Amino acid sequence: MTNNDILIRLRYALDIKNVDMVEIFKLGGLDYSKEEVLNMLIKINDEEEAPEEYIKCNNKMLEAFLNGLITFKRGPQKSKDGQPEGPLPVTGKESPNNMLLKKVKIALALTTEDMLEILYDGGIKVTKGELGALLRNPSHRNYKECGDSFVRNFLRGLTYKYRE
């Protein structure tokens, strides 16, 4: 599952409009035009057959979008004394699937029970311990990398929750 697929599915699940997509990227620290965002959202089966205008979304772009989604849904974070105000820093070091779970959980203010319910609606039964392993820091010894099918089911569950 590519980062572009994640963007397409997340946009559909949360019913995000084109202008809001541009705004979310801007809040995440990246400035794209509406046309550029639409070129990221082109559905393709094979990257070799992609049209010229197609823009491939890398991990840093996806992380910036997810950081912007947090700000878009929850508002700007109040800066503490001595900290600069602005978008969250983009590291690009974490698996995009694990990052998606963490940041969507934060953006939508979901509890662990909400996440478990969304996953169940998407077609998988997960325990709190398994979910906790996916949400851990990558340097933690009990960290588990999230697979593509898990993310597909999570996004399907989000669609059921927010679109129906």
Side-chain angles (χ1 to χ4, degrees):
M1 188 168 186
T2 67
N3 291 343
N4 294 69
D5 290 334
I6 291 173
L7 276 179
I8 291 166
R9 291 170 188 243
L10 189 60
R11 176 179 180 260
Y12 177 77
L14 300 178
D15 197 22
I16 302 172
K17 308 290 182 249
N18 292 337
V19 289
D20 292 338
M21 290 288 288
V22 172
E23 179 65 22
I24 289 170
F25 270 112
K26 197 170 287 182
L27 290 170
L30 297 177
D31 201 11
Y32 290 113
S33 69
K34 183 178 173 184
E35 290 76 28
E36 290 171 318
V37 170
L38 290 174
N39 289 335
M40 280 183 231
L41 300 173
I42 296 173
K43 285 187 179 184
I44 60 166
N45 294 328
D46 186 14
E47 282 192 32
E48 294 166 4
E49 297 174 9
E52 276 183 37
E53 62 272 5
Y54 177 73
I55 298 175
K56 184 172 172 29
C57 181
N58 61 32
N59 288 354
K60 289 190 180 218
M61 293 163 73
L62 180 64
E63 186 173 0
F65 176 79
L66 293 170
N67 288 341
L69 182 65
I70 292 170
T71 305
F72 185 77
K73 291 287 188 182
R74 299 187 68 151
Q77 189 175 14
K78 308 241 187 309
S79 67
K80 296 176 184 168
D81 295 333
Q83 285 186 335
E85 201 169 313
L88 297 168
V90 175
T91 60
K93 295 180 181 175
E94 190 174 6
S95 158
N97 294 342
N98 292 68
M99 177 178 45
L100 172 79
L101 291 178
K102 286 181 193 177
K103 296 197 183 243
V104 168
K105 181 179 191 253
I106 293 167
L108 302 177
L110 300 172
T111 63
T112 301
E113 286 73 27
D114 293 336
M115 292 282 288
L116 293 173
E117 183 181 321
I118 288 169
L119 289 164
Y120 183 78
D121 290 345
I124 13 177
K125 187 160 174 52
V126 182
T127 66
K128 279 187 180 183
E130 290 170 324
L131 182 61
L134 295 170
L135 298 174
R136 292 186 193 281
N137 188 327
S139 61
H140 192 279
R141 66 184 175 91
N142 291 335
Y143 170 80
K144 183 180 176 198
E145 193 155 317
C146 182
D148 286 346
S149 64
F150 196 92
V151 168
R152 254 187 236 97
N153 288 321
F154 174 71
L155 291 171
R156 184 180 306 128
L158 267 182
T159 303
Y160 291 145
K161 181 173 174 108
Y162 288 96
R163 298 254 334 181
E164 294 181 355

